[in-house]
Amino acid sequence: MTTISKSHLLSRMLAYMVVGFALGWFVGEPFLGLCIVMGGYFVWSFRQLFKLLDWLNDPKAKSKEPPESKGFWGEIFDGIYRLQKQHSRSRQKLAVVIERIQESTAALNDGVVMIDNQSNLEWWNPAAETLMGLKMPDDQGQQITNLLRDPRFADYFEQGGYQKALEIPSPINPDHQLQFNITVYGKGNRLMTVRDVTRLNQLEVMRKDFVANVSHELRTPLTVVSGYLETMLDSLGPDSGLPPVWEKALNRMQEQSLRMQNLVADLLLLSKLESAEAQPDPEGIHVKSMLNSIVEDGRALSGENQHQITLDCSEKVTLSGSSSELRSAFSNLVFNAVRYTPLGGKIHVRWWQDREGGHMMVEDNGVGIDPMHIPRLTERFYRIDKSRSQNTGGTGLGLAIVKHVMLRHGGKLSISSHPGKGSRFVCHFPDKSLELEHSS
């Protein structure tokens, strides 16, 4: 196969011109001979061009052999034919890949929906039809927000971030809860996955109800046991007639009883925070007074450990929120610092404000936390060192309570720590939480 190039064409054209000029020179009309030869060459080239156009315009050209020709026109025909064959093979391979993708997604229990950059439905699998009630081909090309009319979905779809999943009732069965995840790909196209999370939500509700009910049922007997233990300890003395070893046993029993009471109280508080959907009724909370009280409680908890607890807070700071919930969150952070900071350690409590809102920080120079544990610290009962938590009397619920309190107040908790250098916990409040202060 000869490779077509500019030099090849120019050399051939020059050869025809030389032949025409030579023939004309023999008859005494060199330019006439040149014109006749070049004219014939152009006529032949136009005929080949017409053949090419007829072949390309033929609907069956893909399955027909190219026209017979010679020279570089034959090479052009053969080159185009080869490109058509390659394109046909590529399309067949692509069709096989697309078919396999559609078959695999059709087997999924989760719905898969492809949406173009104009928010129109392009394709979906059978699971999406079952979960969302989509119909092929009636809904193809329709705007997704015209079919899912829930305002929460419209807001979620238009936001463009999609960091978190959206859960809303199914448009065809309100008793079912669907979870939507959207991924942006290409030039503004979206891939949406839909999952039925009804069973998971039911299990979560059952878990919450179980914890709340058990905690509530345990509270009364624990109060009775603790009361009797306290009475028995008060009656101990030289004239009680009981062996001295009983005092140690009763003290140990009372410690564990109080620990169980604290655990039940934390479980009840956490259940209340999780079940309350509405935002807490806003109160004007004087932050410094609250932090002063919590720091004093922290010093009392420290006792003989002699922790150096300092507070840095401006005099005129007012925060909007639930006083009881915020006191619980701040107390958990300060008491955790006291429990997990070695003897004589430093604990710094600070409140400050900036353009992003208000911030409450508790920082210590204790043993620190390995970064691998930080993402799970706010999980219920998650403990880095179980033996250490038991010795300090922690319930494993403190940071979970802090996280839920911050979520209910529109804020967030950030944690940073380095082993051997200490830890820093910061509660970030949005600027709207400080509206009461601004108006005062």
PDB file of all heavy atoms in Angstrom, residues 263-286:
ATOM      1  N   LEU A 263     -24.778   6.536  83.436  1.00  0.00           N
ATOM      2  CA  LEU A 263     -24.952   5.935  82.118  1.00  0.00           C
ATOM      3  C   LEU A 263     -26.402   6.019  81.664  1.00  0.00           C
ATOM      4  O   LEU A 263     -26.698   6.378  80.517  1.00  0.00           O
ATOM      5  CB  LEU A 263     -24.489   4.475  82.154  1.00  0.00           C
ATOM      6  CG  LEU A 263     -24.674   3.667  80.859  1.00  0.00           C
ATOM      7  CD1 LEU A 263     -23.914   4.310  79.712  1.00  0.00           C
ATOM      8  CD2 LEU A 263     -24.228   2.229  81.054  1.00  0.00           C
ATOM      9  N   VAL A 264     -27.326   5.700  82.563  1.00  0.00           N
ATOM     10  CA  VAL A 264     -28.743   5.778  82.227  1.00  0.00           C
ATOM     11  C   VAL A 264     -29.134   7.213  81.905  1.00  0.00           C
ATOM     12  O   VAL A 264     -29.885   7.476  80.951  1.00  0.00           O
ATOM     13  CB  VAL A 264     -29.596   5.216  83.391  1.00  0.00           C
ATOM     14  CG1 VAL A 264     -31.070   5.550  83.177  1.00  0.00           C
ATOM     15  CG2 VAL A 264     -29.416   3.711  83.497  1.00  0.00           C
ATOM     16  N   ALA A 265     -28.636   8.166  82.695  1.00  0.00           N
ATOM     17  CA  ALA A 265     -28.954   9.576  82.438  1.00  0.00           C
ATOM     18  C   ALA A 265     -28.445  10.011  81.065  1.00  0.00           C
ATOM     19  O   ALA A 265     -29.142  10.711  80.325  1.00  0.00           O
ATOM     20  CB  ALA A 265     -28.353  10.456  83.535  1.00  0.00           C
ATOM     21  N   ASP A 266     -27.230   9.589  80.710  1.00  0.00           N
ATOM     22  CA  ASP A 266     -26.684   9.940  79.393  1.00  0.00           C
ATOM     23  C   ASP A 266     -27.474   9.283  78.269  1.00  0.00           C
ATOM     24  O   ASP A 266     -27.711   9.887  77.216  1.00  0.00           O
ATOM     25  CB  ASP A 266     -25.209   9.526  79.309  1.00  0.00           C
ATOM     26  CG  ASP A 266     -24.292  10.474  80.049  1.00  0.00           C
ATOM     27  OD1 ASP A 266     -24.776  11.540  80.472  1.00  0.00           O
ATOM     28  OD2 ASP A 266     -23.098  10.152  80.225  1.00  0.00           O
ATOM     29  N   LEU A 267     -27.881   8.029  78.467  1.00  0.00           N
ATOM     30  CA  LEU A 267     -28.678   7.341  77.443  1.00  0.00           C
ATOM     31  C   LEU A 267     -30.023   8.038  77.232  1.00  0.00           C
ATOM     32  O   LEU A 267     -30.486   8.205  76.095  1.00  0.00           O
ATOM     33  CB  LEU A 267     -28.900   5.883  77.846  1.00  0.00           C
ATOM     34  CG  LEU A 267     -27.710   4.934  77.654  1.00  0.00           C
ATOM     35  CD1 LEU A 267     -27.998   3.591  78.287  1.00  0.00           C
ATOM     36  CD2 LEU A 267     -27.403   4.763  76.165  1.00  0.00           C
ATOM     37  N   LEU A 268     -30.657   8.443  78.310  1.00  0.00           N
ATOM     38  CA  LEU A 268     -31.937   9.144  78.202  1.00  0.00           C
ATOM     39  C   LEU A 268     -31.769  10.493  77.506  1.00  0.00           C
ATOM     40  O   LEU A 268     -32.589  10.884  76.665  1.00  0.00           O
ATOM     41  CB  LEU A 268     -32.553   9.331  79.590  1.00  0.00           C
ATOM     42  CG  LEU A 268     -33.101   8.069  80.254  1.00  0.00           C
ATOM     43  CD1 LEU A 268     -33.511   8.353  81.689  1.00  0.00           C
ATOM     44  CD2 LEU A 268     -34.290   7.524  79.460  1.00  0.00           C
ATOM     45  N   LEU A 269     -30.685  11.211  77.843  1.00  0.00           N
ATOM     46  CA  LEU A 269     -30.438  12.496  77.200  1.00  0.00           C
ATOM     47  C   LEU A 269     -30.163  12.313  75.710  1.00  0.00           C
ATOM     48  O   LEU A 269     -30.692  13.056  74.869  1.00  0.00           O
ATOM     49  CB  LEU A 269     -29.258  13.200  77.870  1.00  0.00           C
ATOM     50  CG  LEU A 269     -28.800  14.511  77.229  1.00  0.00           C
ATOM     51  CD1 LEU A 269     -29.939  15.522  77.203  1.00  0.00           C
ATOM     52  CD2 LEU A 269     -27.591  15.074  77.965  1.00  0.00           C
ATOM     53  N   LEU A 270     -29.364  11.303  75.374  1.00  0.00           N
ATOM     54  CA  LEU A 270     -29.050  11.062  73.968  1.00  0.00           C
ATOM     55  C   LEU A 270     -30.298  10.663  73.193  1.00  0.00           C
ATOM     56  O   LEU A 270     -30.508  11.101  72.055  1.00  0.00           O
ATOM     57  CB  LEU A 270     -27.978   9.971  73.862  1.00  0.00           C
ATOM     58  CG  LEU A 270     -27.369   9.733  72.482  1.00  0.00           C
ATOM     59  CD1 LEU A 270     -26.751  11.014  71.932  1.00  0.00           C
ATOM     60  CD2 LEU A 270     -26.318   8.634  72.548  1.00  0.00           C
ATOM     61  N   SER A 271     -31.148   9.843  73.790  1.00  0.00           N
ATOM     62  CA  SER A 271     -32.403   9.462  73.134  1.00  0.00           C
ATOM     63  C   SER A 271     -33.293  10.674  72.915  1.00  0.00           C
ATOM     64  O   SER A 271     -33.942  10.810  71.871  1.00  0.00           O
ATOM     65  CB  SER A 271     -33.137   8.416  73.982  1.00  0.00           C
ATOM     66  OG  SER A 271     -32.384   7.237  74.097  1.00  0.00           O
ATOM     67  N   LYS A 272     -33.321  11.561  73.902  1.00  0.00           N
ATOM     68  CA  LYS A 272     -34.120  12.778  73.761  1.00  0.00           C
ATOM     69  C   LYS A 272     -33.586  13.656  72.632  1.00  0.00           C
ATOM     70  O   LYS A 272     -34.361  14.193  71.820  1.00  0.00           O
ATOM     71  CB  LYS A 272     -34.106  13.552  75.083  1.00  0.00           C
ATOM     72  CG  LYS A 272     -34.841  14.886  75.020  1.00  0.00           C
ATOM     73  CD  LYS A 272     -34.704  15.637  76.337  1.00  0.00           C
ATOM     74  CE  LYS A 272     -35.341  17.018  76.236  1.00  0.00           C
ATOM     75  NZ  LYS A 272     -35.178  17.790  77.494  1.00  0.00           N
ATOM     76  N   LEU A 273     -32.262  13.798  72.549  1.00  0.00           N
ATOM     77  CA  LEU A 273     -31.657  14.623  71.497  1.00  0.00           C
ATOM     78  C   LEU A 273     -31.915  14.040  70.115  1.00  0.00           C
ATOM     79  O   LEU A 273     -32.149  14.771  69.145  1.00  0.00           O
ATOM     80  CB  LEU A 273     -30.152  14.755  71.729  1.00  0.00           C
ATOM     81  CG  LEU A 273     -29.715  15.523  72.974  1.00  0.00           C
ATOM     82  CD1 LEU A 273     -28.212  15.418  73.158  1.00  0.00           C
ATOM     83  CD2 LEU A 273     -30.132  16.987  72.867  1.00  0.00           C
ATOM     84  N   GLU A 274     -31.865  12.710  69.998  1.00  0.00           N
ATOM     85  CA  GLU A 274     -32.065  12.072  68.697  1.00  0.00           C
ATOM     86  C   GLU A 274     -33.517  12.118  68.258  1.00  0.00           C
ATOM     87  O   GLU A 274     -33.802  12.247  67.059  1.00  0.00           O
ATOM     88  CB  GLU A 274     -31.602  10.612  68.760  1.00  0.00           C
ATOM     89  CG  GLU A 274     -30.105  10.441  68.876  1.00  0.00           C
ATOM     90  CD  GLU A 274     -29.706   8.985  68.975  1.00  0.00           C
ATOM     91  OE1 GLU A 274     -30.525   8.178  69.464  1.00  0.00           O
ATOM     92  OE2 GLU A 274     -28.587   8.650  68.560  1.00  0.00           O
ATOM     93  N   SER A 275     -34.437  12.007  69.197  1.00  0.00           N
ATOM     94  CA  SER A 275     -35.858  11.952  68.833  1.00  0.00           C
ATOM     95  C   SER A 275     -36.466  13.328  68.612  1.00  0.00           C
ATOM     96  O   SER A 275     -37.483  13.452  67.933  1.00  0.00           O
ATOM     97  CB  SER A 275     -36.645  11.220  69.930  1.00  0.00           C
ATOM     98  OG  SER A 275     -36.528  11.904  71.169  1.00  0.00           O
ATOM     99  N   ALA A 276     -35.873  14.372  69.169  1.00  0.00           N
ATOM    100  CA  ALA A 276     -36.415  15.730  69.013  1.00  0.00           C
ATOM    101  C   ALA A 276     -35.997  16.294  67.663  1.00  0.00           C
ATOM    102  O   ALA A 276     -34.823  16.553  67.431  1.00  0.00           O
ATOM    103  CB  ALA A 276     -35.922  16.631  70.144  1.00  0.00           C
ATOM    104  N   GLU A 277     -36.980  16.437  66.747  1.00  0.00           N
ATOM    105  CA  GLU A 277     -36.674  16.932  65.410  1.00  0.00           C
ATOM    106  C   GLU A 277     -36.612  18.457  65.362  1.00  0.00           C
ATOM    107  O   GLU A 277     -35.833  19.030  64.620  1.00  0.00           O
ATOM    108  CB  GLU A 277     -37.730  16.433  64.417  1.00  0.00           C
ATOM    109  CG  GLU A 277     -37.727  14.914  64.276  1.00  0.00           C
ATOM    110  CD  GLU A 277     -38.753  14.452  63.267  1.00  0.00           C
ATOM    111  OE1 GLU A 277     -39.466  15.325  62.726  1.00  0.00           O
ATOM    112  OE2 GLU A 277     -38.852  13.237  63.014  1.00  0.00           O
ATOM    113  N   ALA A 278     -37.464  19.106  66.165  1.00  0.00           N
ATOM    114  CA  ALA A 278     -37.510  20.567  66.122  1.00  0.00           C
ATOM    115  C   ALA A 278     -36.288  21.163  66.808  1.00  0.00           C
ATOM    116  O   ALA A 278     -35.674  20.552  67.680  1.00  0.00           O
ATOM    117  CB  ALA A 278     -38.784  21.072  66.796  1.00  0.00           C
ATOM    118  N   GLN A 279     -35.936  22.373  66.373  1.00  0.00           N
ATOM    119  CA  GLN A 279     -34.840  23.081  67.011  1.00  0.00           C
ATOM    120  C   GLN A 279     -35.242  23.475  68.427  1.00  0.00           C
ATOM    121  O   GLN A 279     -36.418  23.711  68.718  1.00  0.00           O
ATOM    122  CB  GLN A 279     -34.482  24.339  66.203  1.00  0.00           C
ATOM    123  CG  GLN A 279     -33.909  24.038  64.837  1.00  0.00           C
ATOM    124  CD  GLN A 279     -32.552  23.384  64.927  1.00  0.00           C
ATOM    125  OE1 GLN A 279     -31.743  23.712  65.781  1.00  0.00           O
ATOM    126  NE2 GLN A 279     -32.300  22.425  64.047  1.00  0.00           N
ATOM    127  N   PRO A 280     -34.296  23.513  69.368  1.00  0.00           N
ATOM    128  CA  PRO A 280     -34.643  23.883  70.750  1.00  0.00           C
ATOM    129  C   PRO A 280     -35.134  25.324  70.825  1.00  0.00           C
ATOM    130  O   PRO A 280     -34.746  26.178  70.025  1.00  0.00           O
ATOM    131  CB  PRO A 280     -33.306  23.712  71.487  1.00  0.00           C
ATOM    132  CG  PRO A 280     -32.249  23.862  70.427  1.00  0.00           C
ATOM    133  CD  PRO A 280     -32.853  23.280  69.177  1.00  0.00           C
ATOM    134  N   ASP A 281     -36.014  25.554  71.800  1.00  0.00           N
ATOM    135  CA  ASP A 281     -36.497  26.921  72.006  1.00  0.00           C
ATOM    136  C   ASP A 281     -35.328  27.814  72.403  1.00  0.00           C
ATOM    137  O   ASP A 281     -34.586  27.508  73.344  1.00  0.00           O
ATOM    138  CB  ASP A 281     -37.561  26.942  73.104  1.00  0.00           C
ATOM    139  CG  ASP A 281     -38.815  26.184  72.691  1.00  0.00           C
ATOM    140  OD1 ASP A 281     -39.086  26.141  71.475  1.00  0.00           O
ATOM    141  OD2 ASP A 281     -39.500  25.633  73.568  1.00  0.00           O
ATOM    142  N   PRO A 282     -35.159  28.919  71.681  1.00  0.00           N
ATOM    143  CA  PRO A 282     -33.983  29.761  71.955  1.00  0.00           C
ATOM    144  C   PRO A 282     -34.075  30.478  73.303  1.00  0.00           C
ATOM    145  O   PRO A 282     -35.125  30.968  73.692  1.00  0.00           O
ATOM    146  CB  PRO A 282     -34.001  30.764  70.794  1.00  0.00           C
ATOM    147  CG  PRO A 282     -35.424  30.817  70.346  1.00  0.00           C
ATOM    148  CD  PRO A 282     -35.985  29.442  70.587  1.00  0.00           C
ATOM    149  N   GLU A 283     -32.963  30.480  73.995  1.00  0.00           N
ATOM    150  CA  GLU A 283     -32.832  31.222  75.241  1.00  0.00           C
ATOM    151  C   GLU A 283     -31.601  32.113  75.127  1.00  0.00           C
ATOM    152  O   GLU A 283     -30.656  31.798  74.409  1.00  0.00           O
ATOM    153  CB  GLU A 283     -32.648  30.273  76.428  1.00  0.00           C
ATOM    154  CG  GLU A 283     -33.714  29.209  76.575  1.00  0.00           C
ATOM    155  CD  GLU A 283     -33.366  28.222  77.672  1.00  0.00           C
ATOM    156  OE1 GLU A 283     -32.793  28.647  78.700  1.00  0.00           O
ATOM    157  OE2 GLU A 283     -33.646  27.023  77.496  1.00  0.00           O
ATOM    158  N   GLY A 284     -31.618  33.221  75.822  1.00  0.00           N
ATOM    159  CA  GLY A 284     -30.448  34.074  75.874  1.00  0.00           C
ATOM    160  C   GLY A 284     -29.498  33.587  76.956  1.00  0.00           C
ATOM    161  O   GLY A 284     -29.751  33.774  78.143  1.00  0.00           O
ATOM    162  N   ILE A 285     -28.435  32.928  76.556  1.00  0.00           N
ATOM    163  CA  ILE A 285     -27.527  32.289  77.509  1.00  0.00           C
ATOM    164  C   ILE A 285     -26.280  33.148  77.674  1.00  0.00           C
ATOM    165  O   ILE A 285     -25.604  33.463  76.682  1.00  0.00           O
ATOM    166  CB  ILE A 285     -27.130  30.879  77.020  1.00  0.00           C
ATOM    167  CG1 ILE A 285     -28.388  30.041  76.783  1.00  0.00           C
ATOM    168  CG2 ILE A 285     -26.198  30.204  78.002  1.00  0.00           C
ATOM    169  CD1 ILE A 285     -28.133  28.804  75.967  1.00  0.00           C
ATOM    170  N   HIS A 286     -25.971  33.508  78.906  1.00  0.00           N
ATOM    171  CA  HIS A 286     -24.750  34.255  79.189  1.00  0.00           C
ATOM    172  C   HIS A 286     -23.606  33.250  79.246  1.00  0.00           C
ATOM    173  O   HIS A 286     -23.464  32.480  80.204  1.00  0.00           O
ATOM    174  CB  HIS A 286     -24.870  35.032  80.504  1.00  0.00           C
ATOM    175  CG  HIS A 286     -23.776  36.032  80.707  1.00  0.00           C
ATOM    176  ND1 HIS A 286     -22.669  35.769  81.496  1.00  0.00           N
ATOM    177  CD2 HIS A 286     -23.597  37.285  80.213  1.00  0.00           C
ATOM    178  CE1 HIS A 286     -21.868  36.813  81.484  1.00  0.00           C
ATOM    179  NE2 HIS A 286     -22.409  37.752  80.719  1.00  0.00           N
TER     180      HIS A 286
END
